[in-house]
Amino acid sequence: MSAHLTFSSTWQAAQPRLSVLTPFLRDDPTSLLEMLEREANALAGSVEIILLDDGTGDAALTARLTQQLANLTLPVCLITLAANEGRAIGRNRLATAARGSTLLFLDSDMRPDSDHFLRSWADLIEARDPAIAFGGFSLLQAPTDAKFAVHRALAAASECVGHVERAQQPEKYVYTSNLLVRRDVFEAEAFDPGFTGWGWEDVEWAMRVARRFEVLHIDNPATHMGLDTVQSLAAKYEQSAPNFARMAQRHPEIVAAYPSHKVARMLKRVPGLPVWRRMMRKGAEAGWLPVKARAFSLRLYRAALYADAI
């Protein structure tokens, strides 16, 4: 697929060791760029940013980004695609475009929790040159609107985990939201392009790569700003069911220990599951229920979707 490339004025002269790779689809990464730009002078061209617009088709957004790039000190490249390629293929494309020996996958809806976020990653590379490292993420800067309460509760319980706890199951807590990967590791184990839509391509990648390389967990978090409503999150879960099944087929021993897989197997035997599944979603959408109850209903809804897929 053809791509249009736009560069900041500092791109050509830079000699980056670290490439920050940020795909987006209908998100606006301008705020993230503003935050990263604060570290530009201290980094002196050692870190580059590559953005991939994966088929957003928003001329106004492209124009804003083009104008922003013209004023940045950071070396930045914007890749604009006319049509969507998908998360796995897009991240592989970003890695191909990168010039650094180490890659940092950073989602466009993330916001660094410190003013030395990139410097901390650069210092880690200098000190240890890790194969893979995950910095973690938080909800410190995330919106607190009531419509996001269920997603906030789910993320706080299962994803916003400290680095000590994450290190006990290193391959489980790996997300491309804030993930450092050495280039030779990524070239040995790229994302599986068979994963389409939303979900699980990063976890499946981690299962493969952890067999060959150490996965390091550190405390350098960024906030996940992109909280979803119940309706939006349920739609993503619906997209993710085939991906979950693909992962379970490839890594049956690991996935069999996942609570979501265990519950899906149990629900598979429940008579009239489609009816129960609709009730689970209604429970998650019921604003009058306590947030914990709604979050539990949404987790059951996801497991019920997976029951049909596995």
Side-chain angles (χ1 to χ4, degrees):
M1 179 185 296
S2 61
H4 180 75
L5 305 181
T6 306
F7 302 98
S8 67
S9 60
T10 56
W11 174 267
Q12 187 172 359
Q15 295 182 332
R17 183 171 183 184
L18 173 61
S19 298
V20 181
L21 309 182
T22 300
F24 65 96
L25 176 64
R26 293 184 291 275
D27 287 327
D28 185 343
T30 54
S31 294
L32 174 61
L33 281 177
E34 288 173 4
M35 295 187 75
L36 297 178
E37 173 70 6
R38 297 170 189 170
E39 298 190 60
N41 290 333
L43 295 169
S46 63
V47 178
E48 67 179 7
I49 315 292
I50 306 179
L51 305 169
L52 174 68
D53 181 346
D54 197 6
T56 297
D58 185 338
L61 175 58
T62 301
R64 286 199 304 276
L65 282 168
T66 300
Q67 183 176 10
Q68 185 180 24
L69 262 60
N71 298 308
L72 291 178
T73 301
L74 280 171
V76 181
C77 170
L78 169 63
I79 304 172
T80 305
L81 302 182
N84 178 256
E85 287 188 335
R87 288 158 59 96
I89 295 175
R91 289 191 173 100
N92 290 340
R93 179 189 279 271
L94 279 165
T96 300
R99 298 178 295 178
S101 59
T102 303
L103 316 173
L104 176 64
F105 292 94
L106 183 68
D107 283 351
S108 60
D109 59 1
M110 303 298 287
R111 300 292 181 271
D113 284 343
S114 75
D115 57 6
H116 50 80
F117 175 76
L118 293 177
R119 182 73 262 168
S120 294
W121 279 123
D123 288 346
L124 178 69
I125 294 168
E126 185 68 27
R128 299 185 59 174
D129 195 21
I132 309 113
F134 182 63
F137 62 80
S138 76
L139 296 170
L140 291 178
Q141 305 172 65
T144 57
D145 309 48
K147 63 183 179 180
F148 301 131
V150 171
H151 193 181
R152 174 179 276 273
L154 289 169
S158 62
E159 296 174 348
C160 297
V161 179
H163 67 288
V164 174
E165 182 178 346
R166 283 188 265 120
Q168 295 174 11
Q169 291 181 283
E171 80 287 340
K172 181 178 181 180
Y173 296 103
V174 171
Y175 311 102
T176 48
S177 52
N178 184 15
L179 177 66
L180 190 81
V181 186
R182 208 169 57 219
R183 177 181 288 278
D184 63 294
V185 175
F186 191 80
E187 289 175 349
E189 293 283 357
F191 289 102
D192 179 359
F195 283 82
T196 59
W198 183 88
W200 298 110
E201 78 284 346
D202 45 6
V203 178
E204 190 278 333
W205 175 84
M207 290 176 183
R208 282 185 281 120
V209 80
R211 294 170 179 163
R212 303 175 60 184
F213 303 97
E214 179 187 8
V215 178
L216 179 67
H217 284 274
I218 70 165
D219 184 25
N220 189 27
T223 292
H224 179 211
M225 300 293 292
L227 296 181
D228 288 307
T229 64
V230 168
Q231 292 79 6
S232 296
L233 198 54
K236 288 183 175 179
Y237 288 164
E238 290 159 9
Q239 286 184 40
S240 75
N243 285 352
F244 184 82
R246 183 179 181 88
M247 181 178 67
Q249 185 179 33
R250 291 185 159 219
H251 309 277
E253 294 180 359
I254 299 176
V255 178
Y258 279 26
S260 52
H261 187 271
K262 292 178 180 178
V263 176
R265 297 277 296 181
M266 292 173 58
L267 290 174
K268 202 171 182 70
R269 300 191 294 268
V270 174
L273 182 57
V275 176
W276 287 107
R277 188 163 54 228
R278 287 193 293 271
M279 293 176 64
M280 294 166 189
R281 176 159 178 168
K282 287 183 180 296
E285 294 172 347
W288 54 272
L289 283 174
V291 170
K292 286 186 177 180
R294 297 175 65 196
F296 179 70
S297 292
L298 192 57
R299 284 196 297 268
L300 281 179
Y301 177 72
R302 180 178 63 178
L305 291 168
Y306 293 173
D308 281 346
I310 60 175

